Amino acid sequence: VVATLVGLPLGLLTGAYPRSWLALIVTPCSIALVSCPPVIGVLGLLFMAASTGWLSLAPGSLGVPLMALAAPLAAMLERLQSQATRETLTSPDLVAAAARGIPPSRLLWVHASRQSLRWVLGVYGLMIGSVFSGSLAVEMITAWPGVGRLLYDALLSHDLFLVAGCALVGAALIAGGNVAADVLRAVADPRVRASTS
């Protein structure tokens, strides 16, 4: 949720205004976050939290694990949304809508955002999988009790039923994410509904 609320609006703005000061700041940061392994990201956040005191390092605090998992996902969403917005704004229907006098803000936040979501929503199932793959390192370093750490402990203790249960939860969440993404794509763009009927 945090990655979506941060990544999608930033992607719309950087895609619509690629030469703005915001795009010049956000684009390199997003590329760095996408290419940064989760271990490096969480260690950097722990160092920042210890140096500045901005985030709590108390056991069970949610700030560092949340930021460590959400920042790379927000960066990936920003890059995808930015590219999709650039391509959508040059489509013939939006060019015609701009020629008819639709204000640029409505063109961007209503029409372009809905059309560009088709491509972005397609990766939400994969994002849930990446949360699970990156969560083990984050949970181990920050001592946050989550599914990744539970699976690791189950593997060490040779608890096959718990390993199977964790794998089942992960598979169910990935499948649920894909279904939710397909439903949201149909809601966001009526052309998807028309092509499936």
Side-chain angles (χ1 to χ4, degrees):
V1 171
V2 171
T4 301
L5 293 177
V6 172
L8 292 186
L10 284 177
L12 276 169
L13 291 172
T14 56
Y17 310 107
R19 300 191 189 283
S20 65
W21 63 268
L22 181 67
L24 294 176
I25 294 172
V26 169
T27 301
C29 293
S30 293
I31 293 171
L33 284 170
V34 167
S35 59
C36 180
V39 175
I40 303 298
V42 72
L43 289 175
L45 280 170
L46 285 172
F47 177 75
M48 183 195 75
S51 303
T52 62
W54 291 346
L55 296 171
S56 173
L57 292 175
S61 63
L62 190 58
V64 173
L66 176 73
M67 297 251 328
L69 289 174
L73 295 177
M76 182 173 66
L77 282 175
E78 185 274 328
R79 291 285 76 220
L80 289 169
Q81 182 67 47
S82 180
Q83 180 66 31
T85 301
R86 275 198 298 274
E87 292 177 6
T88 302
L89 286 174
T90 59
S91 63
D93 56 333
L94 288 186
V95 172
R100 284 194 297 270
I102 293 180
S105 60
R106 179 174 173 78
L107 198 68
L108 174 64
W109 293 102
V110 176
H111 301 288
S113 64
R114 287 185 69 181
Q115 286 188 29
S116 60
L117 276 179
R118 277 188 307 157
W119 293 284
V120 178
L121 287 173
V123 300
Y124 264 84
L126 299 175
M127 282 179 51
I128 293 174
S130 69
V131 167
F132 278 114
S133 65
S135 66
L136 175 62
V138 172
E139 290 168 9
M140 294 299 289
I141 293 172
T142 61
W144 177 260
V147 176
R149 189 171 176 185
L150 180 65
L151 178 60
Y152 178 75
D153 292 340
L155 286 170
L156 287 182
S157 62
H158 303 290
D159 189 344
L160 296 180
F161 294 110
L162 187 54
V163 170
C166 291
L168 178 64
V169 167
L173 286 174
I174 290 172
N178 281 323
V179 169
D182 288 342
V183 170
L184 289 173
R185 284 175 70 190
V187 169
D189 193 352
R191 291 176 296 182
V192 174
R193 293 196 299 270
S195 66
T196 56
S197 60

